Amino acid sequence: MKMYIIRHGQTPWNAHKCLQGRSDVDLNENGIYLAELTGKALRDVTFDMAFTSPLIRAKHTCILAGREVPIIEDERLIEISFGIYEGCCYAEENRQVPQQWIENFFHAPQDYVAAPGGESLDDVEKRTRDFMEDICSRKELQDKTILVSTHGCALRGLLNSIRESNREDYWHGGVSKNCAVSIVTCNRGEKPVLVEENHIYY
């Protein structure tokens, strides 16, 4: 199996540094453009099917970057929930969340504590690992090429599930850019292999 994992295109909340989490925010014009460019760059890839987060920004990225193939929504690919801080700005000039809390999320994830009503990184890693192990074990998918459309934090959970990493290195160099693509290969009964990470096609 060959798996192309893409982070969704840019949204208005991305542009203004607002925490989206489970909020269902659609792509902006630039996000649509980036997804279309990525889709054109992958035009020679024949996708057999796609899995996507149920959130609209991931679904629309999947459609634009993929083909007319079966698309399956999977809750395990949804973004981390930020609880009471969803929709809040974290930009320095207009910060609406505690500074240390957001600093921990991006720069000291080992110290990150979920906001009230939010989801922990442990929970994200558990469900994304379950997705990866499930998909890679399916006999009917072993000779398929699939597209997976997800989010920044969930994408990191997926990739971290197949490599040796500790919580301090959760982001592995930073949040993936919008429409960045990572490629994973896996054969049933074998450990998945990360072939390429965060490739930008624009």
Side-chain angles (χ1 to χ4, degrees):
M1 179 199 305
K2 196 168 189 179
M3 185 184 305
Y4 289 73
I5 308 175
I6 187 170
R7 184 189 174 203
H8 64 78
Q10 189 185 63
T11 73
W13 286 22
N14 286 147
H16 292 95
K17 294 187 176 181
C18 295
L19 296 169
Q20 292 178 113
R22 304 288 175 82
S23 300
D24 211 4
V25 184
D26 204 352
L27 305 177
N28 60 15
E29 288 187 10
N30 186 50
I32 294 171
Y33 177 65
L34 297 182
E36 288 176 340
L37 284 181
T38 304
K40 289 177 181 177
L42 298 175
R43 60 184 173 275
D44 293 332
V45 178
T46 302
F47 291 108
D48 296 293
M49 64 188 310
F51 293 89
T52 182
S53 156
L55 297 179
I56 195 167
R57 57 189 183 273
K59 290 193 290 185
H60 283 176
T61 298
C62 188
I63 293 168
L64 293 166
R67 305 292 181 274
E68 292 185 6
V69 297
I71 298 175
I72 300 171
E73 294 183 22
D74 195 308
E75 287 282 344
R76 293 172 294 183
L77 296 172
I78 202 168
E79 184 58 305
I80 188 172
S81 170
F82 290 111
I84 64 171
Y85 294 142
E86 296 228 348
C88 293
C89 178
Y90 62 89
E92 185 176 352
E93 64 276 10
N94 187 32
R95 188 180 296 116
Q96 299 172 314
V97 297
Q99 180 177 354
Q100 190 59 58
W101 179 82
I102 197 65
E103 284 289 327
N104 286 348
F105 181 69
F106 286 118
H107 304 297
Q110 70 277 9
D111 297 324
Y112 177 73
V113 177
E119 184 181 23
S120 71
L121 290 174
D122 282 340
D123 290 337
V124 175
E125 289 191 319
K126 181 179 179 180
R127 60 178 167 81
T128 52
R129 180 182 297 276
D130 182 70
F131 173 87
M132 185 65 73
E133 292 177 351
D134 173 27
I135 298 303
C136 288
S137 69
R138 294 188 188 183
K139 184 177 180 179
E140 71 273 16
L141 298 180
Q142 293 309 297
D143 61 345
K144 306 300 184 184
T145 299
I146 65 176
L147 179 67
V148 176
S149 185
T150 185
H151 309 265
C153 189
L155 188 152
R156 281 297 168 199
L158 289 168
L159 298 185
N160 289 343
S161 74
I162 63 174
R163 62 183 169 203
E164 297 296 327
S165 62
N166 52 36
R167 179 53 53 77
E168 288 84 352
D169 195 31
Y170 184 87
W171 294 107
H172 203 71
V175 181
S176 300
K177 293 184 180 298
N178 293 113
C179 287
V181 176
S182 297
I183 301 175
V184 172
T185 60
C186 59
N187 297 312
R188 195 164 179 240
E190 298 180 9
K191 184 177 176 62
V193 176
L194 179 58
V195 177
E196 189 169 14
E197 185 171 5
N198 295 332
H199 189 103
I200 301 297
Y201 293 94
Y202 54 86

